Amino acid sequence: MEGSAVIEETTVNVVEDPPVPTLHTCRKCNHEVEEALFASELRVCDSCGHHSPLTAQEWIDHLADPDTFREVGKRLFSTDPLDFSVSGPYRERLREAERRTGMAEAALAGEARLDGRPIVLVSLEFDFLGGTMGSVVGEKVARAFEVATRRRLPVVSVIASGGARIQEGMLALMQMAKTATAVAEHQETGLPYISVLTNPSFGGTFASFGSLGDILIGEPGAQIGFVGARVIEGTIAEKMPKAQRRAEVVLERGMIDMIIERSLLRNRLAVLVSQMTADASAAWPQVQLSPTPKSTRTPAEVIELARTPTRPRADAYIDRVFQAFSQLHGDRCYGDDPAILGGIASLQGHPVVLIAQWGQMMPMPEGYRKAKRLMRLAKKFGLPVVTLVDTRGAFPGLEAEQRGIALTIGECLGQLAQLPVPVVNVVIGEGGSGGALALGLADVILMQENAIYSVIAPEGAAAILLHDATRSEEILPALKLRAHDLLELGVIDDIVPEPPGGAHRDPDAAARQVMERVVHHLAALSAIKPRKLLQRRAERYRSIGRFERGIVHRARDIVARIGRGQ
């Protein structure tokens, strides 16, 4: 058109810069990683392994099967019963915590499934007023345990807390008693409770329901304790190094059972729950036993084989005979003695409590206290007990005396005498005196062919009777410490064959023989009702050493009847 201008339209494509990913910087090593990737890795630094906190909901998402969590006490919320206003009105702090976390209080609790198994799950939110326990948190925890007791469900709790909530005064402190009562009622029913202690686990929360688990699991590097550093310094002017409260140190001191990395925790919890809730009536497999070996070696030859440095020790049999071993540490009192190790394991598909002496180490009192604690777990969950004996004896030094070595040995014996579950003991090396017998009171005592069992080490006997420990070989025949001697005396019940030349020549074959003997005797014992089992155990030990006519071999006859199912 005349007089008109043609205007061409052009489209300008504006390319926007991609969004800058949010980065997370590790507090421990300053390693940077994208926040989305960090969250997908459960907030564990892939450079140094530092475990950053998870929220209460993230713990639920990690542990519970998808879409299975059903909250308990969802409508509960906190008020301000003391009209508390020091360092800011309590009501305002509650509302601010609600806005920041999206939670009504510092605890999530409810029913869920863990690897298909129903459980009750409790999780604390540290970002809500430091995960402290006030009236609502205590009520939620108590209700969770009551639901678990009523529905006969295991409980798993995840602790992240600074303790009792100051703003609720004595009402908060009394939640320790409330939650402990609920846990005690749950424990009386024989149900499992596992407590996971994350960073931090302190104060009244830890010192009540958090510490009462059958099994206590710490996270790597978690701070675990009773009183916080500021309170300690303000009360007694003492500085408490953070390193002394790390989970690794707490484990060494015997206060927790294990430390599990976050990525492995769900699977470990699932295994433990399945083992502690197993069907005790399931049938044991049938095994074909090798014949009892004949006696061919002198006492001197046997003791040489029992003490040979390459002889398989407890770890060799744990690896070869048992599966899914969850080692539990500590006596929950003083320390974790490496001379005695134990935990829950599977034996041919059956969960058992395993307690073993570690090679030629000499146990301390804390080792026997650990053993006694494991025996209590066996009683609670109805699990058979297998003990492996291999020690020259309990540690005879002054520190052991001061910590009660004689008392702890006696307590172990008393505990074993009254365990209403089958107990099978295997002497795999040297059984020395009361230190060995503390794990040796059993329904069936087995000895490997080249093991020894004695009232005292030969050197000690020579020192007492001949006034010369170097003359121990002279006294060996009189001690009757070989398996064949003790079978004849009725002290033991069966001899486990060893490969030609001794167990050290073929540890795999030696382990198979141990497994077959243990399974065979547990199968026979599992058919006996608990009351009858205790009666037979008492009769067995009542008859040992009675040399009246017709009684000398009575202990062996009792076990023979058990093997025949009579």
Side-chain angles (χ1 to χ4, degrees):
M1 181 181 297
E2 187 179 349
S4 65
V6 177
I7 301 175
E8 295 184 0
E9 293 184 2
T10 60
T11 302
V12 178
N13 293 321
V14 178
V15 179
E16 296 182 359
D17 293 332
V20 177
T22 304
L23 296 179
H24 171 83
T25 302
C26 176
R27 292 177 55 187
K28 185 175 181 181
C29 72
N30 294 322
H31 175 68
E32 290 188 342
V33 63
E34 290 188 17
E35 177 65 34
L37 177 60
F38 187 57
S40 71
E41 294 177 341
L42 300 174
R43 310 192 73 80
V44 177
C45 178
D46 61 3
S47 176
C48 70
H50 176 67
H51 286 51
S52 293
L54 291 180
T55 67
Q57 185 62 57
E58 286 173 328
W59 274 112
I60 299 292
D61 295 341
H62 174 40
L63 298 179
D65 294 352
D67 301 319
T68 63
F69 182 72
R70 300 292 180 267
E71 189 174 354
V72 171
K74 189 173 183 178
R75 297 183 179 180
L76 294 173
F77 64 92
S78 289
T79 59
D80 186 7
L82 304 186
D83 195 22
F84 198 94
S85 59
V86 178
S87 74
Y90 180 41
R91 290 178 185 272
E92 291 183 11
R93 298 195 64 185
L94 285 170
R95 302 295 86 81
E96 194 277 328
E98 291 172 4
R99 288 191 296 270
R100 185 173 62 254
T101 64
M103 295 175 57
E105 246 301 344
L108 281 176
E111 294 185 57
R113 286 187 175 268
L114 172 64
D115 199 28
R117 291 181 177 270
I119 65 167
V120 166
L121 191 54
V122 178
S123 179
L124 298 189
E125 174 58 65
F126 187 75
D127 206 28
F128 195 110
L129 296 180
T132 50
M133 183 165 62
S135 298
V136 169
V137 170
E139 181 64 21
K140 279 194 170 187
V141 171
R143 288 191 188 187
F145 275 94
E146 288 167 355
V147 168
T149 301
R150 186 169 62 251
R151 295 178 58 80
R152 298 198 59 78
L153 299 177
V155 176
V156 174
S157 68
V158 182
I159 308 299
S161 175
R165 190 168 298 173
I166 296 174
Q167 293 89 342
E168 295 188 23
M170 281 299 297
L171 296 176
L173 189 69
M174 296 308 289
Q175 303 309 306
M176 294 175 64
K178 176 191 286 187
T179 57
T181 299
V183 174
E185 292 173 350
H186 180 261
Q187 289 179 330
E188 280 297 308
T189 64
L191 296 166
Y193 168 35
I194 303 174
S195 177
V196 180
L197 306 171
T198 74
N199 186 38
S201 295
F202 272 99
T205 311
F206 173 49
S208 56
F209 75 95
S211 65
L212 292 177
D214 298 299
I215 297 175
L216 302 183
I217 300 177
E219 277 210 299
Q223 290 285 306
I224 301 171
F226 180 47
V227 182
R230 281 185 293 177
V231 176
I232 295 172
E233 188 170 356
T235 305
I236 62 173
E238 179 180 308
K239 289 188 178 293
M240 175 66 73
K242 290 186 68 174
Q244 292 300 310
R245 246 89 81 81
R246 293 177 69 245
E248 290 75 9
V249 175
V250 177
L251 180 70
E252 291 175 3
R253 291 175 179 166
M255 305 302 174
I256 62 177
D257 288 290
M258 61 182 75
I259 296 173
I260 302 295
E261 294 182 12
R262 193 172 290 167
S263 61
L264 305 176
L265 179 62
R266 187 178 191 276
N267 181 65
R268 181 58 64 90
L269 289 172
V271 169
L272 286 167
V273 169
S274 69
Q275 289 175 325
M276 292 189 288
T277 55
D279 181 8
S281 64
W284 286 84
Q286 296 292 320
V287 294
Q288 185 67 39
L289 297 184
S290 301
T292 301
K294 296 181 179 179
S295 175
T296 59
R297 293 187 174 92
T298 67
E301 292 169 336
V302 170
I303 197 170
E304 182 179 357
L305 286 172
R307 290 177 172 179
T308 187
T310 56
R311 185 175 181 84
R313 302 300 175 187
D315 56 337
Y317 294 106
I318 291 171
D319 291 342
R320 290 169 170 83
V321 175
F322 303 91
Q323 305 81 43
F325 178 52
S326 295
Q327 186 175 353
L328 305 181
H329 292 265
D331 63 351
R332 302 269 181 94
C333 177
Y334 180 87
D336 180 45
D337 182 7
I340 293 182
L341 58 85
I344 302 176
S346 294
L347 175 62
Q348 297 295 298
H350 290 256
V352 300
V353 167
L354 173 64
I355 310 173
Q357 290 168 330
W358 189 265
Q360 295 298 297
M361 298 179 70
M362 306 181 84
M364 298 290 286
E366 47 270 27
Y368 293 114
R369 284 194 294 265
K370 174 168 58 175
K372 190 174 68 166
R373 187 168 71 82
L374 293 169
M375 295 169 197
R376 289 197 297 267
L377 284 183
K379 178 180 179 180
K380 177 177 179 180
F381 301 121
L383 301 179
V385 175
V386 178
T387 61
L388 304 180
V389 161
D390 187 10
T391 182
R392 292 176 60 192
F395 186 75
L398 178 60
E399 55 186 314
E401 294 282 2
Q402 292 173 333
R403 298 207 291 270
I405 188 69
L407 300 178
T408 56
I409 289 173
E411 288 167 354
C412 278
L413 290 170
Q415 189 83 39
L416 285 169
Q418 289 299 308
L419 275 186
V421 297
V423 182
V424 173
N425 166 238
V426 190
V427 183
I428 61 172
E430 182 169 359
S433 194
L437 186 61
L439 301 188
L441 194 159
D443 298 297
V444 172
I445 302 175
L446 310 175
M447 280 184 71
Q448 283 189 296
E449 182 180 353
N450 297 307
I452 61 172
Y453 209 172
S454 179
V455 64
I456 189 172
E459 295 80 4
I464 293 173
L465 299 178
L466 304 177
H467 307 286
D468 186 352
T470 65
R471 297 172 61 187
S472 61
E473 197 162 325
E474 298 176 32
I475 209 167
L476 282 179
L479 289 176
K480 303 293 184 185
L481 45 67
R482 297 177 305 169
H484 293 86
D485 298 324
L486 296 171
L487 182 65
E488 178 65 23
L489 288 170
V491 172
I492 71 167
D493 309 294
D494 201 355
I495 299 175
V496 183
E498 294 187 25
H504 62 289
R505 295 292 181 87
D506 191 346
D508 290 338
R512 283 194 300 272
Q513 294 286 358
V514 169
M515 183 274 291
E516 290 170 0
R517 271 341 199 249
V518 171
V519 169
H520 170 78
H521 288 287
L522 283 179
L525 292 167
S526 65
I528 304 173
K529 295 184 181 299
R531 181 177 296 180
K532 189 67 173 178
L533 193 69
L534 291 174
Q535 179 185 340
R536 286 176 177 269
R537 194 180 301 157
E539 288 177 357
R540 170 206 173 92
Y541 288 98
R542 186 68 181 84
S543 66
I544 290 178
R546 290 176 60 186
F547 288 93
E548 301 161 50
R549 181 175 298 176
I551 297 180
V552 62
H553 295 306
R554 189 177 175 192
R556 189 169 55 185
D557 293 340
I558 290 170
V559 177
R561 293 202 308 273
I562 292 174
R564 294 192 297 268
Q566 298 178 355

